[in-house]
Amino acid sequence: MAKPLNWRGFGSRFHSRALVPAAARARAWRDWVCDNDPVYAAARHPGVAEKTALGVVLVLTLAAALFLALFDWNMLRGPIGRWASARYDRQIALTGDLDVNLFSWTPSAVVRGLKIGGPDWARAQDTADVDEIYASVRLRKLLAGQVEMPLLRFTRPKVVLIADRDGRKSWELNPNRPDTGEGLKLPVIQQLVITDGQLSFDEQRREMTLQAAVNAHEAANGAAGFLLEGRGAVHGSPLTLKIEGGPFVNIRRNRPYGFEAEVSGAGSSLTARGAITRPFDLGRFDATLTMQGRDLSDLYLLTGLTLPNTPPYRLSGALNRNERVWTFKDFDGRVGASDLSGEVRVDAARRLRVDADLRSRRLDIDDLAAVLGARTRTDAAGRNTEAPVVVGGKLLPDAKLQTERLRAMDGSLTYRAAAVKANAFDVRAVDLGADLKAGVLKLDPVSFDFNRGTLNGTARIDATRDTPYNTVDMRLSGYPLESIIRARNGSVPLSGRALGRARLEGPGASLHDFAAASKGSMSLVVPNGRMRAAFAELLGINASAGLLKLLSGDQSESQIRCAVADFNVSGGRATARTFVIDTDVVLAQGKGSIDLGAETLNLRIEGESKKPRLLRLWAPITVSGPLTAPRVGVDVGGVVGQGGLAGLLGAVVAPVTALFAFVDPGLADDADCGRLIAGAR
């Protein structure tokens, strides 16, 4: 039989072990210490040794306090200067008195005559020369591991900042330490006073100089604050800078610190109004940024960012800095006659990186010409007042690519224009992409949607050398010929769809220079179409039929059974390999060349009538002169022999067939070219 539980014994043990009050246990532990701890016993009843040790400690403490109170701190100026000079590899000296007050709830120090010299390559001027620095800290915060400064005062500080062409900075005390791009972090300053401060800045790579006055003080009404205001020059043009901050009185870590900044120079103006979200952490702030100027590329001189050439612009959006990352987002505005919005992200780490996602609701195609180097002019409302103008009267822009700027950063770009204003090329939408890495710029895609047809391709610019090397591959698909030659008197003289491809490569710092030195091939194919009959007859210089139709205003049409122009490009000269126009009345063949450097052409077209004519003048048609204004004529001095259709067709059928795969993989669907020429034999 099981033994019954002893509930009374169990309850007694539980009470004695678990329910005894904590105070009773604490008293028991105290009693044990009093009875057994030798340290407590010695403190309670000190002997001769204990009393002697206590006296020595008190004497040393009083001696240390008296020493610190009477110590001449100026004796440390030399050792401090020598240590700092050796540590930072530059001359650092305290030439005035050094006073320290440690016996206060707000210990303070006064440093007079602080001089910080420049590095070896910039020893001509001291980096800093300050008449007096006064700083105090709160002792209780300091003992808690925090630095809080009731007062920080600078009297007549002079600071000289120099950045040379190699990127060295005179103010970097540890130049070998990696630059993380993070902002300066300051301790909590309750009152900042700067009297008669001077700042000199010299950035040699961008030819930027600035002389500024810096002051900060507090007024009884709290209306004063920080002010930096200066003037200088950037790349030969005037530069102005103004930064204002609110008063420091009663500032807190969790209270945003408001500021305004304005900078103007190099044809650009930037205005930022915002707040440092966590005061004393200059690596974090939010602001509204408005910028405007004549050309976005000019901002490189102010910001160091490589941006494309543009017409005059005005943009406004939200600027945010989070340590090394700057973001300009939700911005909107105009560039030339086009709207522009999107987001730009700048990572200012050891190597600068810029990523942009841009878009336009309605693009003026002339503004894209400015990106390629042409110049546009706009009125006060931002509308383009004339067609883009290329420097030197050239068709292709000759604005030079700044290769050293491309090598200084990496980045990416996406740009989309949902609609395009009415233009001569009938462009309806644009889609561009770019990727820049280690001085190599890849453009993919380069896409233009027309009313009918598209132009798609890629490009690569290797800017790792002073003269960049470029590769371009562009495909034209289904472009309407009537968009090239407009209707007259209600009649379209030429219709059909064109397909083509240009694959070129070569050196050149501008589009013009690249074209002038390029090699590769260019081809254009019109598989079928319609041509005004008079023009078709005149390809064979048929006086009896062609001239009569032309002079009488005849609007009848002839079929374009095939048209092919295939050029080999070498040294900037495009020479015709195959040049044929086949209509139902005339088969014409051309030859000649196009000088892409001089932007001139010299072509000769010889036609063969397919029908007998009573009166016929057999003479070549010439097309010559500048690309911008070609001249069409008849070489009446050259009489062409009757070569016959068979021989002419035999010379062009094979080259035309070979072009199909090169121009467009889908051209086989429109194989009229090869089939009709072959059938005509």
Side-chain angles (χ1 to χ4, degrees):
M1 183 175 181
K3 184 179 180 180
L5 292 174
N6 186 357
W7 290 104
R8 177 175 299 178
F10 174 80
S12 176
R13 288 193 302 272
F14 178 80
H15 179 270
S16 62
R17 294 181 181 179
L19 301 182
V20 174
R25 293 199 300 271
R27 285 194 298 270
W29 179 80
R30 182 199 61 190
D31 294 341
W32 183 91
V33 169
C34 293
D35 295 337
N36 300 281
D37 187 12
V39 176
Y40 177 82
R44 184 75 179 272
H45 304 287
V48 175
E50 288 80 4
K51 292 179 179 179
T52 301
L54 179 60
V56 170
V57 171
L58 291 176
V59 169
L60 291 177
T61 303
L62 292 174
L66 184 62
F67 172 80
L68 293 175
L70 300 177
F71 179 71
D72 184 3
W73 292 93
N74 289 321
M75 296 175 61
L76 295 181
R77 293 182 303 172
I80 291 175
R82 289 190 294 272
W83 173 85
S85 299
R87 175 68 175 80
Y88 298 111
D89 196 24
R90 62 179 69 205
Q91 292 296 320
I92 299 178
L94 283 66
T95 62
D97 291 337
L98 175 62
D99 293 331
V100 178
N101 178 20
L102 297 178
F103 300 98
S104 171
W105 288 112
T106 56
S108 61
V110 181
V111 179
R112 298 179 180 88
L114 173 63
K115 291 183 180 294
I116 302 177
D120 290 338
W121 55 270
R123 289 193 182 278
Q125 300 183 75
D126 291 335
T127 299
D129 187 347
V130 188
D131 281 3
E132 181 180 289
I133 302 176
Y134 176 90
S136 62
V137 296
R138 294 197 183 279
L139 183 60
R140 286 176 295 181
K141 292 286 186 179
L142 189 62
L143 294 177
Q146 301 177 6
V147 178
E148 183 177 303
M149 306 182 71
L151 174 61
L152 179 60
R153 182 177 65 230
F154 297 91
T155 303
R156 288 180 293 279
K158 297 179 182 179
V159 178
V160 178
L161 307 179
I162 302 174
D164 70 358
R165 295 187 179 277
D166 295 328
R168 295 179 298 182
K169 301 172 183 177
S170 65
W171 61 90
E172 288 186 336
L173 297 180
N174 293 303
N176 296 325
R177 186 178 63 182
D179 185 5
T180 62
E182 297 181 354
L184 180 64
K185 294 176 175 57
L186 301 174
V188 175
I189 304 170
Q190 292 186 327
Q191 187 175 9
L192 175 66
V193 177
I194 302 176
T195 304
D196 297 333
Q198 297 180 30
L199 173 65
S200 176
F201 182 68
D202 181 8
E203 212 277 23
Q204 298 172 4
R205 181 179 294 177
R206 288 179 280 166
E207 300 180 17
M208 179 187 295
T209 59
L210 178 71
Q211 299 292 329
V214 186
N215 288 279
H217 61 281
E218 310 296 345
N221 58 3
F226 175 86
L227 175 62
L228 184 153
E229 191 169 15
R231 296 180 177 274
V234 54
H235 206 62
S237 67
L239 172 69
T240 61
L241 174 66
K242 184 178 182 181
I243 301 176
E244 292 183 275
F248 279 71
V249 175
N250 297 325
I251 197 168
R252 296 291 183 271
R253 284 185 181 271
N254 58 355
R255 182 183 303 170
Y257 176 73
F259 71 91
E260 295 183 6
E262 298 178 5
V263 58
S264 178
S268 305
S269 176
L270 289 79
T271 301
R273 292 180 172 84
I276 300 174
T277 53
R278 297 177 59 183
F280 315 109
D281 184 355
L282 303 185
R284 301 175 186 271
F285 65 78
D286 293 313
T288 298
L289 173 65
T290 299
M291 56 184 186
Q292 59 183 343
R294 63 191 178 194
D295 191 331
L296 273 173
S297 67
D298 292 336
L299 286 178
Y300 171 81
L301 299 172
L302 297 179
T303 66
L305 301 180
T306 300
L307 300 173
N309 296 101
T310 67
Y313 66 92
R314 179 181 175 84
L315 302 170
S316 182
L319 177 66
N320 169 266
R321 181 180 185 183
N322 186 0
E323 297 298 352
R324 68 183 187 183
V325 178
W326 301 65
T327 306
F328 185 40
K329 60 183 179 181
D330 300 329
F331 69 82
D332 200 357
R334 305 198 69 79
V335 176
S338 309
D339 67 276
L340 185 68
S341 60
E343 178 175 321
V344 177
R345 183 179 184 273
V346 180
D347 191 338
R350 296 184 62 183
R351 180 168 177 82
L352 189 65
R353 180 176 179 85
V354 179
D355 297 289
D357 182 9
L358 309 177
R359 52 195 174 272
S360 294
R361 294 180 294 275
R362 190 170 178 81
L363 168 71
D364 189 325
I365 200 67
D366 289 345
D367 295 328
L368 269 187
V371 175
L372 299 177
R375 295 176 298 181
T376 59
R377 295 186 181 136
T378 57
D379 57 18
R383 296 185 296 267
N384 289 324
T385 58
E386 59 182 37
V389 178
V390 177
V391 179
K394 300 292 185 181
L395 178 64
L396 297 176
D398 56 4
K400 304 296 183 183
L401 182 68
Q402 303 292 336
T403 55
E404 71 281 358
R405 298 184 183 183
L406 288 182
R407 292 194 293 263
M409 55 175 275
D410 297 332
S412 66
L413 165 71
T414 58
Y415 173 75
R416 296 176 181 85
V420 181
K421 294 181 180 179
N423 57 88
F425 300 101
D426 272 343
V427 179
R428 300 299 178 90
V430 177
D431 188 0
L432 303 175
D435 182 78
L436 174 62
K437 185 175 183 181
V440 177
L441 176 62
K442 297 179 181 179
L443 302 176
D444 187 8
V446 178
S447 177
F448 295 84
D449 291 342
F450 304 103
N451 180 28
R452 285 183 291 163
T454 61
L455 176 65
N456 294 288
T458 62
R460 183 180 187 273
I461 302 174
D462 185 350
T464 57
R465 59 192 82 179
D466 291 338
T467 300
Y469 194 85
N470 316 287
T471 304
V472 175
D473 189 355
M474 302 295 296
R475 291 179 182 268
L476 180 68
S477 177
Y479 190 73
L481 297 178
E482 51 267 39
S483 295
I484 302 176
I485 302 178
R486 299 292 181 178
R488 294 182 179 180
N489 300 323
S491 174
V492 178
L494 194 65
S495 65
R497 67 189 192 96
L499 304 104
R501 185 176 185 183
R503 187 163 59 183
L504 302 172
E505 62 177 290
S510 68
L511 277 178
H512 180 269
D513 293 348
F514 164 59
S518 63
K519 63 180 180 179
S521 59
M522 300 188 303
S523 301
L524 184 68
V525 177
V526 179
N528 52 65
R530 306 294 296 178
M531 177 186 290
R532 188 174 167 186
F535 296 146
E537 293 276 1
L538 286 176
L539 286 175
I541 313 299
N542 189 325
S544 62
L547 287 178
L548 182 62
K549 291 180 179 180
L550 187 64
L551 295 175
S552 65
D554 182 17
Q555 302 296 321
S556 62
E557 294 182 334
S558 293
Q559 181 184 6
I560 301 176
R561 305 172 76 228
C562 179
V564 175
D566 179 33
F567 292 85
N568 177 66
V569 182
S570 178
R573 180 177 292 273
T575 304
R577 291 182 296 199
T578 302
F579 191 172
V580 61
I581 303 173
D582 180 27
T583 72
D584 53 3
V585 294
V586 172
L587 178 62
Q589 184 181 25
K591 60 183 178 180
S593 63
I594 303 173
D595 191 328
L596 301 178
E599 297 187 357
T600 59
L601 46 78
N602 183 16
L603 300 175
R604 181 186 179 96
I605 304 174
E606 302 171 356
E608 177 76 26
S609 177
K610 294 183 177 182
K611 299 179 180 179
R613 301 297 182 186
L614 295 177
L615 177 62
R616 186 170 185 280
L617 175 64
W618 183 249
I621 296 176
T622 61
V623 183
S624 60
L627 292 174
T628 53
R631 298 184 299 272
V632 180
V634 178
D635 184 4
V636 295
V639 178
V640 180
Q642 302 294 321
L645 293 179
L648 182 58
L649 285 172
V652 301
V653 169
V656 169
T657 305
L659 280 177
F660 288 172
F662 175 77
V663 173
D664 194 315
L667 191 57
D669 296 336
D670 303 284
D672 303 69
C673 238
R675 185 172 62 251
L676 291 178
I677 290 180
R681 300 176 64 182

